[in-house]
Amino acid sequence: MPRVVCVYFPNLPTDRIRRHGEGAVPAEQPLVVISRSGSKRWVSAADTSARKVGLRIGMAASKAQAVVANLAMIDADPAADAAALERLALWALRQYSPVVAIDGTDGIVMDTEGADHLRGGETMMVSSLVNSLRGRGLTARAAIADTWGAAHALTRLTVAETTVIPVGGVAKAVIGLPIYCLRLPAETIQGLRVLGVDTVGELSAMPRAPLTLRFGPEVGRRLDQLFGRVAEPIEPLRTPELVEVSRNFQEPIGAAETIRKYVLRLVSQLSVELEGRGLGVRRSDLVIHRIDNTRQCVRAGLAKPVRDPARLSKLLCDQIEKIDPGFGIEKMVLAAVMVEPLEERQVTSSLIEEQVVDVTPLIDILGNRGQRLYRITPVASDVPERSVTRLAPTADETGADWAGKWPRPSRLMAKPEAIEVMALLPDQPPAMFTWRGKRRRVRRADGPERIFGEWWTRPREMQAVRDYFVVEDEQGERYWVYRAGDGVDLETGSHRWFIHGIFG
C-alpha cells in the first residue's frame, strides 16, 4: 500500500531570509515578514525568536513593532518563497522519493513506496529527512500516513517533528482533528461551524446528501481523500532540465516479460539522451502509471555516473517483481533525477597494462537491495575509537594510515566493556581478569602503551590518560585491555579497567 510523507515548513520565509543573509539580520534578533494589501500591513511569517516574545501571524505590523523594539521587519517575497520551496522539492526528489510535489505554499508531499527501505524504514527516513533540513537551517515537521490528506493535516496540527501513523491507523489519528485540516475554502469552514461542526469525526458522522446540497461535493471529496476511500494521486514535479523518456500503451500491459522488454527500450532511449548531453545517471526512477489512476515507482541508484544500458537495465529489471500491474499499465516513464557530467575514457589494452577491476556494479546491486555499504578508513587520532571513520564505497582515498609502532586488535569494540582485574598499580599488567562472567588468568602481557586525551577536542580530556596492555590468557586468546588513568592520580581517570579489543 502506498505511503505518503508530508513535510511542512512553518518558518519558510524567515528561514530563507536567514539562510541567504538577506538584510544581514543577527541570529538573536527577532525577525518577521510583512505582507501588504493596500495600506494594510500585517505579519505573514515569524521566526522562533519572534514567536517567543509574543508575535503571531496576522498581527498588525505597527503593533508588532510596538511590542518588540529591535524587531527586524522584511517585506514578503512570495516568488522567492515559491522558488525556495521548489528547490526543496527537487532536493527531496533526488534524495528520498521518485514522486515529489508541492503541497500548498509551505510544504512538499512525497510517495515513499519503493524508497523507504533504502533509508532503514519509515521512522528512520522521516527522522533523517528532518535532521537533514535542520542542518540546512530549515525548521520542518514531517508526517507519514496512508493518505495525503492525513499526512498534510498532522504536520500542521501537531508539534512533534516527526509523526508516523501505522498502516490502517488514519481514522483513529484524524477523527478528533478540527475541520480546517480538510483543505476546504474558508467560507465552507465557517458555514460548517455555524452548524456546530468542529471536528472531522462530527463531520464524517453527518448524512452526506444534505452536506452536498448545501456546500457542494468538495466536502465529501475531501473526507473521502482523508480516509483513503478516494485516491488522491501525486503529480510528480518535473522541470525542463530533467532527462526523461516515456512510453504510452494503446492496450494495458501486465506480464513481467512485457514490462522487462519495454524497460530495456526505455533505458536505451535514456542512454542516447544522456550521451547527447554528455551526462551520466546517478539515480533513475521508473514510474509505472496504472489504469486505475495510481502509480508505482522503482528507483535505481548508482555509485558513479554511468550511461551503460546493460548496467542500468539490470538494476531496474531486478526489481520488476516488486511491480504490481493491477488491472494493467498504461504508461511507463523513466527519468534520470540525478545526473553528473561523464567524459569518455579510453580503455587501456590488457597487453600494455593490467586492468583495475571495477567493483561499482556489485556495489550498485547490493545498494539497491537496501544494503548500507561503507568503507573503513584511518583517521589521524591516537584515541582508538576515533581512529577510524566510514566513507562511501567509491570515495577517494584519504591518504591517512594507522601508526605501526604498537599492534592493534583485529576486532575493536564499539564501546569498551568493564572488566574486574587483579593488578599492581601503577604500571603492572593484569594478573587475572573477569569478563562476561568468565575468569581468565593472564600468562603473558605487553605494555603499557600510554594514550593521552585530545584536549583540543574536549577540554575535559586535558588530563585524561589510558594505559593499554596486550594480554594473553591460558587458552592462548589475546585481548586489548586498558586502565583509565595513570594509576596514581585519580584526576587522570577512574582507575577502572576495560576491554577494548580482541586479537584474531
Side-chain angles (χ1 to χ4, degrees), residues 245-261:
V245 294
S246 62
R247 179 64 183 259
N248 292 288
F249 305 106
Q250 294 182 350
E251 295 291 335
I253 65 171
E257 295 80 5
T258 308
I259 296 174
R260 177 184 176 85
K261 179 179 70 174

Side-chain angles (χ1 to χ4, degrees), residues 219-253:
V219 175
R221 186 174 72 91
R222 287 301 191 189
L223 270 177
D224 290 338
Q225 289 175 345
L226 178 68
F227 289 104
R229 294 189 287 260
V230 173
E232 187 177 8
I234 302 172
E235 189 62 35
L237 180 68
R238 292 292 182 260
T239 63
E241 297 80 15
L242 195 67
V243 184
E244 69 175 13
V245 294
S246 62
R247 179 64 183 259
N248 292 288
F249 305 106
Q250 294 182 350
E251 295 291 335
I253 65 171

Side-chain angles (χ1 to χ4, degrees), residues 93 97-100 111 113 233-238 242-249 253 259 262-263 266 284-290 293-300 316 323 329-337:
L93 175 68
S97 173
V99 179
V100 180
D111 184 341
E113 183 182 13
I234 302 172
E235 189 62 35
L237 180 68
R238 292 292 182 260
L242 195 67
V243 184
E244 69 175 13
V245 294
S246 62
R247 179 64 183 259
N248 292 288
F249 305 106
I253 65 171
I259 296 174
Y262 285 107
V263 166
L266 288 174
S284 63
D285 292 334
L286 178 65
V287 183
I288 307 296
H289 296 254
R290 305 195 308 190
N293 200 28
T294 60
R295 295 183 181 88
Q296 279 192 295
C297 301
V298 172
R299 166 159 284 188
L316 292 171
I323 298 175
I329 298 170
E330 60 181 1
K331 183 180 180 181
M332 294 172 62
V333 179
L334 180 61
V337 297

Side-chain angles (χ1 to χ4, degrees), residues 200-412:
V200 171
E202 294 171 349
L203 182 61
S204 62
M206 295 182 67
R208 183 65 59 88
L211 285 174
T212 304
L213 183 63
R214 180 163 183 172
F215 299 104
E218 186 69 6
V219 175
R221 186 174 72 91
R222 287 301 191 189
L223 270 177
D224 290 338
Q225 289 175 345
L226 178 68
F227 289 104
R229 294 189 287 260
V230 173
E232 187 177 8
I234 302 172
E235 189 62 35
L237 180 68
R238 292 292 182 260
T239 63
E241 297 80 15
L242 195 67
V243 184
E244 69 175 13
V245 294
S246 62
R247 179 64 183 259
N248 292 288
F249 305 106
Q250 294 182 350
E251 295 291 335
I253 65 171
E257 295 80 5
T258 308
I259 296 174
R260 177 184 176 85
K261 179 179 70 174
Y262 285 107
V263 166
L264 296 176
R265 293 183 182 180
L266 288 174
V267 169
S268 298
Q269 296 175 23
L270 184 67
S271 299
V272 172
E273 292 286 337
L274 292 170
E275 185 176 5
R277 304 189 190 192
L279 300 173
V281 61
R282 282 289 308 277
R283 188 162 294 153
S284 63
D285 292 334
L286 178 65
V287 183
I288 307 296
H289 296 254
R290 305 195 308 190
I291 62 175
D292 59 356
N293 200 28
T294 60
R295 295 183 181 88
Q296 279 192 295
C297 301
V298 172
R299 166 159 284 188
L302 298 108
K304 294 181 179 180
V306 298
R307 54 172 176 262
D308 179 13
R311 188 164 161 187
L312 184 56
S313 297
K314 176 172 177 55
L315 295 178
L316 292 171
C317 291
D318 283 349
Q319 302 183 65
I320 286 179
E321 60 183 18
K322 300 178 182 178
I323 298 175
D324 178 12
F327 295 105
I329 298 170
E330 60 181 1
K331 183 180 180 181
M332 294 172 62
V333 179
L334 180 61
V337 297
M338 184 182 292
V339 295
E340 293 180 6
L342 179 64
E343 298 180 357
E344 297 290 347
R345 295 189 305 170
Q346 182 176 355
V347 178
T348 305
S349 172
S350 59
L351 297 176
I352 302 174
E353 183 178 319
E354 183 180 356
Q355 291 184 335
V356 178
V357 178
D358 186 9
V359 298
T360 52
L362 176 61
I363 293 172
D364 294 337
I365 292 173
L366 296 176
N368 283 279
R369 291 176 180 174
Q371 303 294 327
R372 302 178 68 86
L373 305 177
Y374 59 88
R375 193 176 81 243
I376 294 294
T377 188
V379 176
S381 176
D382 287 333
V383 180
E385 55 264 42
R386 300 177 192 162
S387 63
V388 295
T389 188
R390 294 182 180 183
L391 288 180
T394 58
D396 296 332
E397 295 291 342
T398 61
D401 199 359
W402 286 290
K405 294 184 298 182
W406 290 84
R408 289 290 184 263
S410 56
R411 176 190 169 193
L412 186 69

